[in-house]
Amino acid sequence: MLAASWPVHAQQGGPPLLRDAETEQLLRDYTRPILRAAGLEKQNIQVVIINDPTFNAFVADGRRIFVNYGALRESDTPNQIIGVLAHETGHLAGGHLSKLREQVARAQTQMIIAMLLGLGAAVAGGRAGAGNAGAAAVAAPQAAIMRTMLSYQRQQEENADKAAVKFLNATGQSAKGMYETFKRFSEQSLYASAGADPYNQSHPMPAERVRALQELAQSSPYWDKKDDAALQLRHDMMRAKVSGFMERADTVYRRYPASNDSLPARYARAIAAYRHGDLRNALALIDALIRVQPSNPYFYELRGQALLEGGKPNEAIAPLRKAVQLSGNVPLIEMLLGQALVASENKGYAEEAIKILRAALSREPEAALGYSQLAMAYGRKGDYAEADLASAQAAFLRGDQKTARDLASRAKTRFAIGTPGWVKADDIVNTKPIKN
């Protein structure tokens, strides 16, 4: 499902993603100066949150940085996660993915040649009674090629570290957080890598890498620079939100006990209360947060979401309208408002819901839930052609190709031939499924 805060956006064939307007805005603020320093500001690179509790981040294409929610939760300071994002930006700026693909293709060709030569040697050895010599002739070149590949990957990681420190220096930020993160990785993997062959590891040996990074990072004039207090608060609020939405109630209350009266702790407890069925207490806690920061759109968003998921869609509309207004029409929050309008079952809201959802989808065109809500809004209005088309688009984005084609075929019969709706439906009908 897709709602404004911490849902799973499960598209078939891809990793389970999480969406949240507040967290995504924070990550954009973190990456913008880094991308500018890397010369990638105009590349529309996005940071995508993965539904995984482990500490990890990676790039898998040339336009997205993937970061696990576990990395967000476990980063004590903005600087720590910014350092990780800078490292991944280093991979993007260095074109490491395309270069790695070229290296892999080259290695595959070399392995095939080595295998054919080795098999030839094996046949000859067999005729000469050489026993296992032929097998060794096959294995040895493959092992050498694999070592070359791993060495190449280690070099890419080292280059990404150097690029990250360069970007952080260019933006007047410390590399200490990045060093702290990799130092922690080093300590965690010390036992696991004991006795390991450094030439059989795709990343540099942890201690070696951390020493090199420490030397590089400490040479920066910004080494001792601290994160801005306002940014640290936003970071702490994000971590509290991650905990409130993604962890068990007892874990949340252990991390943020009632004795902790900070704003992040109160945020986490409010989220946990609504997520675990205590709507009345949750609303009281959220209202207290709003009194502290009456212009914070995400508090109104949380109030609206709690009411909507608590079975009170009509009461959710007002706080969600406020959240949309204060956030400057953030699409994810607009979709949540559209969902509340549809769930109210008030036909008078159908036209408004359609307008809001279409505006949101124009900026978030891959949001399956937005199209599902749009289909219901059109259904309330009695526009079944558009309802079928929106349902088909939702199914297509979920990866349900058969349902998408069936709904689009029905939509085509309801639209006049050649109209925009007919053309969109025809595109879905004629889209070939991607074969893995």
Side-chain angles (χ1 to χ4, degrees), residues 55 74 100 123 177 276 317 337 341 343 352 435:
F55 195 120
E74 299 303 323
L100 183 60
V123 171
H276 298 283
I317 292 171
L337 172 57
L341 291 169
E352 181 185 3
K435 295 182 179 179

Side-chain angles (χ1 to χ4, degrees), residues 29 66 91 112 272 302 314 383 385 431 433:
D29 291 344
F66 295 89
H91 282 303
I112 291 169
L302 180 61
N314 285 293
D383 190 339
T431 296

Side-chain angles (χ1 to χ4, degrees), residues 319-337:
L320 289 173
R321 286 193 200 280
K322 186 75 171 178
V324 168
Q325 175 204 339
L326 290 172
S327 68
N329 301 93
V330 169
L332 291 180
I333 303 178
E334 284 185 319
M335 287 184 208
L336 198 60
L337 172 57

Side-chain angles (χ1 to χ4, degrees), residues 15-310:
L17 308 184
L18 299 173
R19 301 298 309 274
D20 175 63
E22 181 178 13
T23 306
E24 289 178 5
Q25 183 57 55
L26 181 63
L27 292 174
R28 278 193 291 271
D29 291 344
Y30 284 168
T31 55
R32 190 177 296 113
I34 297 294
L35 293 172
R36 188 181 304 123
L40 300 174
E41 186 180 19
K42 297 181 180 179
Q43 300 301 312
N44 193 31
I45 291 168
Q46 299 175 332
V47 182
V48 179
I49 306 164
I50 301 290
N51 184 14
D52 190 306
T54 60
F55 195 120
N56 194 24
F58 57 93
V59 289
D61 55 35
R63 61 187 182 89
R64 290 178 294 183
I65 298 172
F66 295 89
V67 57
N68 290 359
Y69 83 76
L72 302 178
R73 183 190 59 200
E74 299 303 323
S75 296
D76 296 325
T77 65
N79 192 241
Q80 288 179 356
I81 198 68
I82 289 169
V84 171
L85 295 170
H87 172 85
E88 299 307 327
T89 301
H91 282 303
L92 293 175
H96 291 173
L97 289 171
S98 59
K99 291 177 182 176
L100 183 60
R101 291 190 191 101
E102 292 172 7
Q103 196 77 7
V104 168
R106 192 177 299 119
Q108 286 175 335
T109 301
Q110 291 171 340
M111 282 187 179
I112 291 169
I113 293 171
M115 189 176 294
L116 291 172
L117 292 173
L119 287 172
V123 171
R127 288 172 180 168
N132 293 329
V138 174
Q142 290 182 347
I145 293 166
M146 183 58 69
R147 284 176 176 247
T148 300
M149 277 294 300
L150 292 172
S151 174
Y152 182 77
Q153 287 181 269
R154 289 195 302 272
Q155 188 60 53
Q156 284 192 331
E157 292 298 328
E158 292 170 0
N159 290 342
D161 286 348
K162 292 174 184 176
V165 175
K166 176 184 173 183
F167 302 150
L168 292 167
N169 286 341
T171 54
Q173 299 183 86
S174 173
K176 183 181 285 188
M178 180 182 168
Y179 162 71
E180 290 169 344
T181 298
F182 284 117
K183 184 172 183 289
R184 181 169 65 183
F185 286 161
S186 172
E187 292 167 349
Q188 290 173 348
S189 62
L190 192 61
Y191 175 78
S193 63
D197 181 352
Y199 299 104
N200 277 336
Q201 305 212 9
S202 63
H203 286 55
M205 289 293 281
E208 172 192 336
R209 182 177 180 183
V210 170
R211 279 196 300 272
L213 179 58
Q214 181 180 14
E215 183 178 343
L216 189 63
Q218 285 184 332
S219 68
S220 167
Y222 307 105
W223 169 256
D224 290 317
K225 186 174 180 180
K226 303 293 184 185
D227 290 306
D228 177 77
L231 192 64
Q232 180 67 57
L233 177 59
R234 289 179 65 195
H235 187 83
D236 292 341
M237 294 291 281
M238 175 272 292
R239 294 180 69 206
K241 193 171 201 177
V242 172
S243 178
F245 272 100
M246 303 305 296
E247 295 188 303
R248 291 161 48 102
D250 57 344
T251 303
V252 177
Y253 295 128
R254 190 164 56 248
R255 285 185 188 272
Y256 300 98
S259 58
N260 185 343
D261 196 44
S262 68
L263 201 64
R266 293 161 65 184
Y267 199 22
R269 292 195 297 268
I271 294 168
Y274 119 69
R275 291 284 288 173
H276 298 283
D278 190 355
L279 181 60
R280 183 176 178 180
N281 183 40
L283 293 174
L285 293 170
I286 295 167
D287 288 343
L289 292 171
I290 290 173
R291 286 194 293 272
V292 176
Q293 290 188 351
S295 297
N296 188 325
Y298 307 115
F299 292 164
Y300 292 96
E301 174 198 19
L302 180 61
R303 193 178 207 284
Q305 185 171 359
L307 287 163
L308 177 59
E309 295 182 10

